[in-house]
Amino acid sequence: MDYLKILGGQNIQGSVLISGAKNAALPLLASSLLFEDGLEVSNLPDVVDVKTLVRLLEYLGCGILWKDAHSLRIDAKKLVHTKATYDIVRKMRASILILGPLLARFRKCEVSLPGGCAIGARPVDLHIKAMEKMGAEITIENGYITAKAPNGLRGAHITFDKITVTGTENVLMAAGLAKGKTQIINAAKEPEVVQLCELLQQSGVEIEGIGTDTLVVHGRDGEALKSQKISVIPDRIEAGTYMCVGAILNTKLTLKNVDPRHLESVSDKLEEIGFGVETLDNELSILPAKKYNAFELVTSEYPGFPTDMQAQFMALATQCEGTSIIEERLFENRFMHVSELQRLGAHISLKGNIAQVYGQTPLNGADVMATDLRASSALILAAIVAKGYTQIHRIYHLDRGYEKIEEKLRKIGIKIERLKD
Ligand code: UD1
């Protein structure tokens, strides 16, 4: 199995090119099932989760034509299956994103229940309830969600009890081909949801309230969408992670191909700690701090502080002066990185969903284990500031969502190698 070996305490300089957003790419790829004569997606990140979803679409019978490593054309004219099997869904929970489009266009599907994952129970009850409200008959048997809508889906009034990103995306895709109007109350407002709305809108689905928590979708009554092209928005979580690289080493670092508007909560928190943030149209630089102040952080839905940046800020908190308080509000078990950061010497105490990080603490290299995607990048951040060598194991988590991370880090001066156990 691959692992990363990192030597801490290096000087960095230069810039990092940010890839397309994994979490935007996945719903856009799933939406290809709504198109009868092809969807072209470019600026795709070259990461395992994207490959997994493309493999699933291919298994369903879609024609896939890769134009280069970052763009492809998907043709969902005819399918041979409408089933997402356990071996695919267990690799990537976001496979649930095919539920809405398959039901809307092909009127039936089977998707394995995702089950638990490292960061908590992560149920899909809200997706299921919403599809039922739109007229689907759903049974859960032998670990599979079996859904049917023999007469097609119909528009409905859906109020989400909790804000759910992929849940909102599933309903948007289902509603696009349903009969009549669907209202989504308490919808997610993440930029990735907005991009999906924009693609649907460009393809002939009228949507009101894009970017707000109330969406109204005028369905096309089963009429599939016509050919379209879309370029994936920049990855705000990858960008935020590299902002933390500059921050933890207290060096200017420039990121290219970003949308600074999507990074406001992260930039604000870095400014509160003491760093400067300079932005141009699609470029952003983090500037060094005179002193690192401890901070308080609460994760929430967009435009609040993203849960996907919580672990990276915990690594940064180890280098801040004083006690930082980090509260995780979205996922009940998203603190698996705490014990690994402690192995590097971090002083962190944990009570329920609140972590207190006591800084500034010198870190020392050690062997650590990646536990989930974002936890892995927190360990990289800690490793690059630690004394000596750190070996990070189980980095397949990292490969799910960060494109060529060691290449990008090596280019700015980090001493990092990918090795095999
Ligand atoms: C998406 C992102 C993930 C991010 C998360 C929160 C993708 C592919 N993944 O995940 O990176 O961390 O948003 O910003 O876009 N919930 C339920 N029932 C449901 C659905 C969700 O209780 O049916 C709960 C979840 O357990 C969680 C909260 O709602 O506590 C938010 O989860 P959700 O927004 O659905 O996360 P994902 O869409 O899976």
Side-chain angles (χ1 to χ4, degrees):
M1 228 186 268
D2 288 3
Y3 70 96
L4 290 176
K5 184 173 179 186
I6 300 172
L7 178 62
Q10 306 299 306
N11 291 325
I12 58 162
Q13 58 173 7
S15 62
V16 179
L17 188 65
I18 298 304
S19 299
K22 167 182 87 71
N23 286 355
L26 298 176
L28 297 177
L29 291 170
S31 80
S32 66
L33 292 165
L34 302 171
F35 289 80
E36 69 178 350
D37 51 3
L39 174 69
E40 270 185 49
V41 190
S42 56
N43 199 35
L44 283 166
D46 187 0
V47 297
V48 171
D49 272 10
V50 163
K51 302 262 170 62
T52 304
L53 187 53
V54 172
R55 222 169 290 134
L56 172 57
L57 293 169
E58 204 164 20
Y59 168 79
L60 296 177
C62 294
I64 307 284
L65 179 70
W66 283 96
K67 302 205 153 181
D68 56 53
H70 299 100
S71 50
L72 52 56
R73 183 181 170 85
I74 308 174
D75 216 314
K77 212 172 226 108
K78 276 200 269 162
L79 294 190
V80 286
H81 301 277
T82 49
K83 181 169 179 173
T85 55
Y86 176 66
D87 17 305
I88 296 180
V89 179
R90 87 188 150 84
K91 283 193 198 119
M92 190 185 64
R93 298 179 42 80
S95 312
I96 191 73
L97 280 168
I98 64 165
L99 177 71
L102 278 180
L103 257 179
R105 171 114 182 268
F106 300 96
R107 301 187 170 190
K108 60 174 188 177
C109 71
E110 273 177 90
V111 183
S112 168
L113 273 172
C117 73
I119 64 174
R122 296 186 82 175
V124 288
D125 55 315
L126 302 175
H127 300 239
I128 295 173
K129 255 163 78 180
M131 295 303 139
E132 282 177 336
K133 233 170 157 206
M134 297 180 78
E137 294 158 26
I138 299 192
T139 50
I140 297 178
E141 242 171 32
N142 309 324
Y144 279 84
I145 306 167
T146 304
K148 278 187 238 154
N151 302 316
L153 294 175
R154 53 170 192 268
H157 192 278
I158 292 162
T159 302
F160 280 119
D161 296 334
K162 262 189 190 173
I163 300 176
T164 159
V165 175
T166 47
T168 303
E169 291 164 346
N170 243 333
V171 172
L172 275 165
M173 292 186 277
L177 296 200
K179 186 181 171 72
K181 191 167 87 176
T182 299
Q183 264 176 299
I184 314 174
I185 316 290
N186 209 20
K189 301 191 288 261
E190 271 66 4
E192 296 77 19
V193 175
V194 170
Q195 186 169 40
L196 176 65
C197 287
E198 286 167 354
L199 170 67
L200 295 174
Q201 176 111 308
Q202 281 161 27
S203 313
V205 179
E206 196 191 325
I207 304 178
E208 296 164 51
I210 297 180
T212 74
D213 59 7
T214 305
L215 297 167
V216 181
V217 185
H218 299 267
R220 289 165 57 98
D221 196 5
E223 193 193 333
L225 307 182
K226 297 279 178 281
S227 155
Q228 195 57 257
K229 285 184 182 174
I230 185 102
S231 172
V232 179
I233 54 170
D235 195 317
R236 62 195 168 96
I237 305 301
E238 188 197 19
T241 304
Y242 284 103
M243 287 168 87
C244 289
V245 169
I248 210 159
L249 293 172
N250 208 18
T251 307
K252 178 176 177 180
L253 187 63
T254 299
L255 312 182
K256 298 194 166 163
N257 184 30
V258 293
D259 189 333
R261 293 168 307 174
H262 298 164
L263 284 155
E264 276 169 8
S265 62
V266 172
S267 297
D268 286 353
K269 197 51 70 184
L270 286 168
E271 282 175 343
E272 198 183 305
I273 298 172
F275 301 98
V277 176
E278 236 173 43
T279 60
L280 291 173
D281 284 353
N282 59 357
E283 209 177 285
L284 181 151
S285 299
I286 169 130
L287 309 173
K290 288 201 179 71
K291 176 174 172 271
Y292 289 25
N293 301 307
F295 59 92
E296 287 184 19
L297 179 162
V298 180
T299 63
S300 73
E301 296 84 5
Y302 190 84
F305 190 91
T307 172
D308 287 350
M309 285 301 302
Q310 180 258 104
Q312 298 88 318
F313 269 69
M314 190 177 294
L316 187 55
T318 66
Q319 303 308 304
C320 294
E321 286 174 31
T323 304
S324 296
I325 299 173
I326 298 180
E327 184 174 343
E328 174 56 56
R329 289 246 180 108
L330 266 73
F331 295 111
E332 76 269 24
N333 195 22
R334 206 171 198 178
F335 279 135
M336 309 273 284
H337 42 285
V338 168
S339 50
E340 300 304 304
L341 289 172
Q342 284 166 336
R343 289 179 57 77
L344 298 170
H347 291 168
I348 304 170
S349 70
L350 200 54
K351 208 167 182 194
N353 64 335
I354 299 178
Q356 294 206 17
V357 187
Y358 309 97
Q360 187 257 334
T361 311
L363 302 179
N364 289 298
D367 280 284
V368 289
M369 199 83 89
T371 49
D372 74 56
L373 173 57
R374 306 304 170 186
S376 323
S377 56
L379 297 179
I380 291 190
L381 289 166
I384 64 180
V385 81
K387 196 164 164 229
Y389 284 101
T390 296
Q391 283 80 231
I392 308 178
H393 302 270
R394 295 208 183 148
I395 54 163
Y396 51 84
H397 291 292
L398 206 59
D399 295 334
R400 285 188 36 221
Y402 286 94
E403 178 169 347
K404 299 193 171 66
I405 191 161
E406 68 267 28
E407 238 173 74
K408 290 189 187 188
L409 287 170
R410 209 176 295 127
K411 194 174 149 252
I412 56 173
I414 303 281
K415 288 216 161 30
I416 178 167
E417 280 179 282
R418 181 181 285 250
L419 300 164
K420 283 196 189 298
D421 276 320

